[in-house]
Amino acid sequence: MKFSDFTKPELERIIENANFTEEEVRIFKLLSRNFTQKEIAYRLSMSVRTLERRVKSIKSKIERV
């Protein structure tokens, strides 16, 4: 799944319906802007491993939308 392939209306619909936490919304928006996981982890002051778990959760929630 490539987050940057989503259109703006799709992104908004997903954010509205996926029941993301505030942190997941921030991560999802950065992923959709093509930031790498390493860059996102640095920006949000978390380990890459923690970010990987958050991304897994985001993907799971998207699949249910």
Side-chain angles (χ1 to χ4, degrees):
M1 169 182 311
K2 192 169 179 184
F3 293 98
S4 60
D5 289 343
F6 290 116
T7 64
K8 186 170 180 157
E10 288 174 322
L11 292 171
E12 291 171 0
R13 182 185 59 80
I14 290 168
I15 289 170
E16 185 177 312
N17 296 309
N19 198 28
F20 288 150
T21 65
E22 288 181 31
E23 183 178 68
E24 288 171 337
V25 170
R26 286 192 298 269
I27 293 168
F28 182 65
K29 286 180 178 180
L30 291 170
L31 287 168
S32 70
R33 292 174 52 203
N34 252 358
F35 283 89
T36 66
Q37 288 191 9
K38 188 174 181 179
E39 291 169 327
I40 295 168
Y42 177 78
R43 281 178 168 251
L44 300 180
S45 301
M46 65 175 62
S47 72
V48 173
R49 180 76 178 118
T50 298
L51 178 66
E52 288 170 349
R53 286 193 301 271
R54 301 293 189 274
V55 171
K56 185 176 180 179
S57 174
I58 289 168
K59 287 180 179 181
S60 174
K61 289 179 180 183
I62 289 172
E63 289 172 359
R64 289 185 254 148
V65 172

